[in-house]
C-alpha cells in the first residue's frame, strides 16, 4: 500500500472502509457536466479502471471477503461495483443503494457541454484545492454534501466489519474528509480530502486514510 495521506480522524467505525471512485464515463469523455445525473455509462477506459480496482481488492482481501457493500444510486457507480464484485466473487445485487452517496448536484448545468457554458466556467475551479469556487446555478454546495454524507455515516456507523463504498469524485472527498476529521475549509463550508483519480480506492480505518489503489483516470476538473 502507498500511504498518500494519513491523519487522525473522528469516525467511530470499528471496521475498515474501502471508498472507491467510479471509472470514467461517456460524459467525462465528451466533456459534459455530470454531477448527480443518474445514468451515464462507463467508457471502455472506465471498465478497465473498474477491473483494476477489482484486481487490487482481490489481491488485498482475497476472494469472497466479508464486506458490506454500499453504492451510490447512480448508474456509473453501480456499473463499477458490478465489475469489482466479479473479481472478489461477491453478488453486487446485495449492495445497499443510498442517494446520500451521489455526486454534487450541478443544477441547471447538469448534462451541459463545457463549450456551451463558455465564460461561465472561467475561474470556476479552485486550482489549489480542486474544488468549485461557487455552486452551479441551482446546484448543490459542499456543506450540503457534508450534511448528507454525515447523515449516512450516523445511520451506518454500526455496520459490522469491513465495507466497500462506491461513489464519486467530489462527494467521496467530502465523505473522506468527514471520516478522517479533516479541517473545515471555510470558503467551501466543508472538510475535503485530497483529490484522487477516477478508479482509485482509499481505505479508512480508525479515522486514518491510506490509498490502497491509485486509479488511472483523470483528477478533478469541471467534470464530476
Amino acid at each position: 500500500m502507498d500511504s498518500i495521506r494519513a491523519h487522525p480522524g473522528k469516525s467511530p467505525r470499528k471496521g475498515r472502509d474501502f471508498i472507491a471512485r467510479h471509472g470514467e464515463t461517456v460524459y467525462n469523455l465528451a466533456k459534459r457536466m455530470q454531477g448527480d445525473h443518474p445514468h451515464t455509462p462507463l467508457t471502455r477506459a472506465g471498465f478497465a479502471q473498474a477491473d483494476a480496482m477489482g484486481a487490487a481488492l482481490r489481491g488485498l482481501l482475497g476472494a469472497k471477503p466479508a464486506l458490506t457493500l454500499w453504492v451510490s444510486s447512480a448508474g456509473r457507480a453501480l456499473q463499477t461495483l458490478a465489475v469489482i464484485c466479479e473479481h472478489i466473487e461477491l453478488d453486487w445485487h446485495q449492495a445497499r443503494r443510498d442517494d446520500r452517496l451521489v455526486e454534487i448536484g450541478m443544477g441547471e448545468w447538469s448534462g451541459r457541454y463545457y463549450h456551451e457554458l463558455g465564460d461561465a466556467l472561467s475561474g470556476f475551479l479552485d486550482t489549489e484545492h480542486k474544488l468549485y469556487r461557487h455552486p452551479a446555478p441551482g446546484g448543490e454546495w459542499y456543506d450540503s454534501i457534508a450534511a448528507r454524507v454525515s447523515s449516512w455515516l450516523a445511520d451506518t456507523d454500526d455496520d459490522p466489519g469491513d465495507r466497500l463504498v462506491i461513489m464519486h469524485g467530489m462527494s467521496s472527498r467530502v465523505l473522506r474528509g468527514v471520516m478522517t476529521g479533516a479541517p473545515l475549509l471555510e470558503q467551501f463550508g466543508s472538510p475535503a480530502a485530497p483529490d484522487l483519480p477516477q478508479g482509485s480506492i482509499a481505505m479508512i480505518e480508525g479515522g486514518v486514510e491510506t490509498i490502497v489503489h491509485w486509479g488511472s483516470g483523470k483528477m478533478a476538473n469541471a467534470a464530476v
Side-chain angles (χ1 to χ4, degrees), residues 39-110:
H39 301 302
T40 51
L42 300 182
T43 61
R44 290 178 184 273
F47 278 109
Q49 290 156 10
D51 270 322
M53 283 190 280
L57 284 175
R58 177 151 185 149
L60 182 65
L61 303 174
K64 298 182 179 178
L67 281 175
T68 301
L69 303 175
W70 283 96
V71 63
S72 158
S73 53
R76 58 196 184 274
L78 291 163
Q79 279 188 306
T80 300
L81 174 65
V83 174
I84 290 173
C85 283
E86 182 180 357
H87 285 268
I88 58 178
E89 300 182 30
L90 295 181
D91 182 2
W92 70 274
H93 295 92
Q94 300 302 313
R96 304 176 190 181
R97 306 181 190 186
D98 201 301
D99 288 341
R100 290 173 292 184
L101 301 174
V102 300
E103 185 55 299
I104 187 171
M106 296 307 292
E108 296 173 17
W109 286 2
S110 181

Side-chain angles (χ1 to χ4, degrees), residues 203-219:
M203 182 186 76
I204 297 176
E205 182 177 16
V208 176
E209 177 174 279
T210 302
I211 307 306
V212 297
H213 179 70
W214 189 267
S216 62
K218 295 177 180 178
M219 303 287 278

Side-chain angles (χ1 to χ4, degrees), residues 10-175:
K10 300 180 179 179
S11 175
R13 280 272 299 144
K14 300 205 179 345
R16 296 176 293 179
D17 284 275
F18 296 90
I19 301 172
R21 183 180 177 187
H22 68 77
E24 180 190 75
T25 74
V26 295
Y27 268 40
N28 297 144
L29 193 62
K31 300 188 183 304
R32 295 180 70 176
M33 285 289 182
Q34 192 162 221
D36 58 348
H37 198 287
H39 301 302
T40 51
L42 300 182
T43 61
R44 290 178 184 273
F47 278 109
Q49 290 156 10
D51 270 322
M53 283 190 280
L57 284 175
R58 177 151 185 149
L60 182 65
L61 303 174
K64 298 182 179 178
L67 281 175
T68 301
L69 303 175
W70 283 96
V71 63
S72 158
S73 53
R76 58 196 184 274
L78 291 163
Q79 279 188 306
T80 300
L81 174 65
V83 174
I84 290 173
C85 283
E86 182 180 357
H87 285 268
I88 58 178
E89 300 182 30
L90 295 181
D91 182 2
W92 70 274
H93 295 92
Q94 300 302 313
R96 304 176 190 181
R97 306 181 190 186
D98 201 301
D99 288 341
R100 290 173 292 184
L101 301 174
V102 300
E103 185 55 299
I104 187 171
M106 296 307 292
E108 296 173 17
W109 286 2
S110 181
R112 299 281 300 277
Y113 287 93
Y114 301 165
H115 68 79
E116 293 178 330
L117 297 172
D119 292 342
L121 286 182
S122 178
F124 181 57
L125 184 70
D126 182 311
T127 55
E128 177 185 357
H129 297 95
K130 305 297 183 185
L131 296 169
Y132 301 147
R133 295 182 186 275
H134 58 80
E140 187 177 27
W141 194 232
Y142 295 106
D143 58 351
S144 176
I145 299 175
R148 59 177 164 88
V149 298
S150 294
S151 170
W152 175 78
L153 283 170
D155 289 345
T156 65
D157 266 333
D158 290 335
D159 281 351
D162 297 339
R163 61 187 182 183
L164 173 63
V165 185
I166 311 294
M167 49 191 305
H168 308 267
M170 292 290 188
S171 59
S172 68
R173 290 182 62 188
V174 175
L175 175 64

Side-chain angles (χ1 to χ4, degrees), residues 183-206:
L184 176 73
L185 298 173
E186 295 287 348
Q187 66 271 47
F188 304 108
S190 169
D195 188 27
L196 295 175
Q198 292 166 331
S200 295
I201 306 172
M203 182 186 76
I204 297 176
E205 182 177 16

